[in-house]
Amino acid sequence: MERLLSDKWEVNPKHSSPEVLRRWRDLCAVVKNPKRRFRFTANLSKRDEADAMRRTNQEKLRIAVLVSKAAFHFVKGVQLSDYTVPKEVEAAGFQICADELSSIVEGHDIKKLKFHGGASGISDKLSTNATNGISTDSEKLNTRQEIYGINKFQESKTRSFWVFFWEALQDMTLMILGVCALVSLIVGLATEGWPKGAHDGLGIVASILLVVFVTATSDYRQSLQFKDLDKEKKKISIQVTRNGYRQKMSIYELLPGDVVHLAIGDQVPADGLFISGFSVLIDESSLTGESEPVMINDENPFMLSGTKVQDGACKMLVTTVGMRTQWGKLMATLSEGGDDETPLQVKLNGVATIIGKIGLVFAVVTFAVLVQKMVGRKWQTGMALIWSGDDALELLEYFAIAVTIVVVAVPEGLPLAVTLSLAFAMKKMMNDKALVRHLAACETMGSATTICSDKTGTLTTNHMTVVKSCICMNVKELNKPGDASALSSELPKSVVKILLQSIFNNTGGEVVINENKKREILGTPTETAILEFGLSLGGDFLTERQESKVVKVEPFNSTKKRMGVVLELPEGGLRAHTKASFERLEATIEQFASEALRTLCLAYVDLENGFSADEAIPESGYTCIGIVGIKDPVRPGVRESVALCRSAGVTVRMVTGDNINTAKAIARECGILTDDGIAIEGPIFREKSLEELLELIPKIQVMARSSPLDKHTLVKHLRTTFNEVVAVTGDGTNDAPALHEADIGLAMGIAGTEVAKESADVIILDDNFSTIVTVAKWGRSVYVNIQKFVQFQLTVNIVALVVNFTSACLTGSAPLTAVQLLWVNMIMDTLGALALATEPPNDELMKKSPVGRKGNFISAVMWRNILGQSLYQFLVIWFLQAYGKTFFELDGCSDSDLVLNTIIFNTFVFCQLFNEVNSREMEKVNVLKGILDNYVFVSVLGSTVLFQIIIIEYLGTFANTTPLTLMQWFVSIFIGFLGMPIAVVLKKHFPLRS
């Protein structure tokens, strides 16, 4: 089937171009309900609208910057403007309105900013200050919110159940059947009167409404699941100062006047003004499409919502929030753009289109054969030119059967089953600490062949402590509480002084007093560990910070792998401090590293007075103060998870910036580095030729001292050269290119920056490698569940088509009526998807090799099961049609045709029910294992049997059935049950590889 699909039905797991996404839509020729079929696909028109907004923003900002630069030279002569504070703003205690603030920042209006007194003047007019922030008094916060708005963008309203009901009614075939029902009702009432003449028409109407109701219920539940997941995706926190206390809060609670603390990797949460900071570079590409970063300082203090901090750290005054910002307007449009459709969705749309065309041909031929047989009968009886109301009803029934064949034949549920399974998996994965940002990631993760994992926080706990030090050539263990203070007393006071100066000034962290009056250390785990060490030595953070004036800061990033600060000393002169993984004192570092310790060297150099803040901090000439060894224990369960990956055919590689010896020690402890594997350093990797890389990359298990570019290069080669499906973990801003390049980007939820999270497809909320393995298991589960459903649905498709077509050709009538086929359609479509596409994962999934990039979705095993069951069901129904009256002793009965057709219908339904159970396992014989654990499956099965009994025993007038005897029920069920031993025979005697 997949070979019939051209490459036009191929899309990438992510980053497909709009042309590719449009291409497959144009190929969908047979679509019963476009609104439903394309509901969970990208809204390309909204995306075009968002791109147009970006281009407009880019041009606006370009002009604003030019005007701002020109105005900067004339601000000294600025005249008072005509700005008047609105009365309601003044009454609320503020001196500037939201529109004025918006025009200043968005327009980069330096002239207006100077008129209002710069950032400090604006903060005064907003009743706030850079030190304490705004008051947390609830009444004052409400007033501020009323005047300036909230930091949320406008979202599309949640659609009600009745919207989904209406959309389900838009199915073209159901509408045609509705017209048939109306005509049948009119003709029936005219010829046979009430109520007999209304039965057929009302039966079709009732069936349509039941199908629509069940479909709408399923779709509505899916929409609620996606809504819940969207809320989780938008949970972004930021560091804010309010009432003088630093605290973490949601970006959606921000108000103008708030003082926000930003660092590398943070997303700017609102429009605002730079207050203070160092080396701040902002990436505005998400808002404007402009790739060149912008330097933010006192001369250019304007910071725009949605942009990202590429380098540096700063404090920002929030001025404009929500829909008043360009980012808010852009996000309101982008939120309607939707997710890219997944490769399986597109592929199954292709399968549905092909089968739909075949079904359409069968339907037309079936209708033509039935009409020809009818006309032939009338010709033989000499009634060819005489047509009665009964003839019209019979003709209408044939047309309804033909339309219903299209309903059954076009497997509209195939692509929607993907969405259902993905929605179910995404909801469950949230409970397993994994937040899926893009639908396709669930699906792709099941095909992953390689995982490139970070070390820190993923394989290790990320709870760091300084456990060893080497200061003044004295190596000291620091495992017990009093060890650090003892070390302090042993060292010369001058050494302790310069050590504390280095620790407390050359840091991206802070020691603050929280709302509970308790000391709290803020920063990365590494910074926290070193600050804790400094405090244990008897140091005081605030005292040390106030003693020296900071001249320049170069924050740590993955490229430089060091952090530096230049201080103006109280006694005069300048001193630079640096903190890095220097390869000095090699023997000491190797000793620390062999114990799986992360080593950092603290060093300083005194500078000449001519140093300018515009110059780079020196990289050489430093005096070593000391080396600290930081312990980050391996997470419990990681070794077992790595072993599970290996048994599942997934290679785990560790990519870290740490020393090679530290990396190897941790990798061996995790079970990643084996005897036949290679550990390599990034600088050596970079020097290899392409030929050497081709030989080397498959054996690489550890890459140490790696840069973001090394990680990106490794991922790119694995994907393109070796055709691997690669999952990559990352937590920093510089990991974004690798996360973007990988088939599945996995960002860390705790340690990860907002830039990393936005570049990722899945966020690992607990930063645990074991959770990544759980994601892989769910990915495989999604893939297999959809295969099960496709196998089940294609079997029903084939049997329904062949049975009705051959019956029409041989007997001139169809054994399954329109109402019956609609019921079968519901069993195989919505209910089948609910039952089979929501099976939870099991451990057996991780004992198979991954599908990889080019695996056939509809496998040989599936075709064996489909064709075997289809042949059995066709032969059974053919036997019942040919010999059923004799077998059940119906000859001579006045309603023998009705009874036999009811038995055929009942047998057909039970064949599908038992085949649904068979479909739970495509290769294994035991299909009942764990069946009671899946309450959805049991509920669907139970409700289907219940409704089948009601249809046969009580709704015969509408469904063209008649009550059956116990014997007839037993035979129908037994024939259906025989499908299970036949499935065993197929699996045992015709073994195939999936």
Side-chain angles (χ1 to χ4, degrees), residues 841-862:
N842 56 64
D843 293 335
E844 297 296 315
L845 290 168
M846 298 302 284
K847 293 179 181 177
K848 298 179 180 179
S849 296
V851 176
R853 197 175 297 282
K854 293 294 181 183
N856 279 334
F857 178 73
I858 304 178
S859 64
V861 167
M862 291 169 68

Side-chain angles (χ1 to χ4, degrees), residues 425-499:
M426 287 166 73
K427 187 75 175 173
K428 293 291 184 182
M429 284 163 72
M430 269 299 300
N431 300 331
D432 289 335
K433 304 297 182 186
L435 172 61
V436 179
R437 295 187 70 252
H438 301 130
L439 269 179
C442 259
E443 181 184 298
T444 313
M445 193 64 195
S447 306
T449 56
T450 289
I451 298 173
C452 293
S453 175
D454 285 342
K455 175 187 75 69
T456 306
T458 308
L459 299 169
T460 60
T461 60
N462 216 15
H463 296 146
M464 300 191 188
T465 48
V466 175
V467 296
K468 207 167 190 177
S469 69
C470 176
I471 302 168
C472 296
M473 301 306 293
N474 179 25
V475 176
K476 182 85 173 177
E477 298 282 347
L478 303 168
N479 294 314
K480 288 180 275 187
D483 287 347
S485 56
L487 172 66
S488 178
S489 62
E490 293 171 11
L491 294 171
K493 287 186 179 179
S494 59
V495 173
V496 174
K497 181 175 177 59
I498 203 166
L499 176 62

Side-chain angles (χ1 to χ4, degrees), residues 155-188:
E155 297 182 77
S156 54
K157 292 180 181 177
T158 303
R159 298 196 295 177
S160 70
F161 167 80
W162 298 109
V163 173
F164 290 96
F165 189 89
W166 174 249
E167 285 189 358
L169 274 173
Q170 307 303 303
D171 189 305
M172 183 60 67
T173 50
L174 292 183
M175 287 193 284
I176 294 170
L177 282 176
V179 172
C180 291
L182 180 63
V183 174
S184 174
L185 196 63
I186 293 168
V187 175

Side-chain angles (χ1 to χ4, degrees), residues 725-738:
V725 179
V726 184
V728 170
T729 72
D731 55 17
T733 306
N734 291 309
D735 287 321

Side-chain angles (χ1 to χ4, degrees), residues 119 231 541 553 622 660:
K231 285 180 185 175
F541 180 80
V553 175
Y622 286 88
I660 185 75

Side-chain angles (χ1 to χ4, degrees), residues 361-604:
V361 171
F362 268 79
V364 171
V365 174
T366 302
F367 179 67
V369 169
L370 289 171
V371 172
Q372 185 268 331
K373 293 278 186 183
M374 180 185 176
V375 172
R377 286 197 307 272
K378 291 181 73 65
W379 185 269
Q380 288 173 357
T381 57
M383 304 284 287
L385 299 176
I386 301 170
W387 290 77
S388 63
D390 287 340
D391 293 331
L393 283 173
E394 189 177 350
L395 198 62
L396 193 64
E397 174 66 15
Y398 291 162
F399 181 69
I401 288 169
V403 173
T404 313
I405 286 174
V406 177
V407 174
V408 177
V410 179
E412 201 91 326
L414 287 184
L416 295 169
V418 178
T419 313
L420 176 66
S421 187
L422 291 172
F424 172 78
M426 287 166 73
K427 187 75 175 173
K428 293 291 184 182
M429 284 163 72
M430 269 299 300
N431 300 331
D432 289 335
K433 304 297 182 186
L435 172 61
V436 179
R437 295 187 70 252
H438 301 130
L439 269 179
C442 259
E443 181 184 298
T444 313
M445 193 64 195
S447 306
T449 56
T450 289
I451 298 173
C452 293
S453 175
D454 285 342
K455 175 187 75 69
T456 306
T458 308
L459 299 169
T460 60
T461 60
N462 216 15
H463 296 146
M464 300 191 188
T465 48
V466 175
V467 296
K468 207 167 190 177
S469 69
C470 176
I471 302 168
C472 296
M473 301 306 293
N474 179 25
V475 176
K476 182 85 173 177
E477 298 282 347
L478 303 168
N479 294 314
K480 288 180 275 187
D483 287 347
S485 56
L487 172 66
S488 178
S489 62
E490 293 171 11
L491 294 171
K493 287 186 179 179
S494 59
V495 173
V496 174
K497 181 175 177 59
I498 203 166
L499 176 62
L500 293 176
Q501 187 182 75
S502 176
I503 288 172
F504 291 130
N505 285 288
N506 188 24
T507 179
E510 282 189 75
V511 181
V512 299
I513 305 298
N514 62 23
E515 289 179 281
N516 300 321
K517 310 295 183 187
K518 291 184 178 179
R519 189 174 68 190
E520 185 178 353
I521 302 176
L522 304 174
T524 66
T526 305
E527 296 285 12
T528 302
I530 295 175
L531 287 172
E532 186 69 55
F533 174 56
L535 295 170
S536 300
L537 289 169
D540 183 272
F541 180 80
L542 286 176
T543 303
E544 287 294 339
R545 292 294 283 255
Q546 289 166 0
E547 275 189 6
S548 306
K549 180 186 174 184
V550 176
V551 176
K552 184 179 179 68
V553 175
E554 285 184 1
F556 178 88
N557 66 42
S558 303
T559 306
K560 294 181 292 189
K561 295 195 179 300
R562 64 186 180 89
M563 179 180 182
V565 63
V566 175
L567 303 176
E568 186 180 308
L569 302 176
E571 62 272 19
L574 298 173
R575 177 175 292 161
H577 284 278
T578 191
K579 177 169 61 188
S581 302
F582 288 127
E583 300 303 318
R584 294 178 183 179
L585 299 172
E586 195 171 327
T588 305
I589 287 174
E590 283 191 11
Q591 179 198 336
F592 281 28
S594 65
E595 297 172 29
L597 300 181
R598 185 177 190 183
T599 58
L600 280 177
C601 180
L602 308 178
Y604 78 98

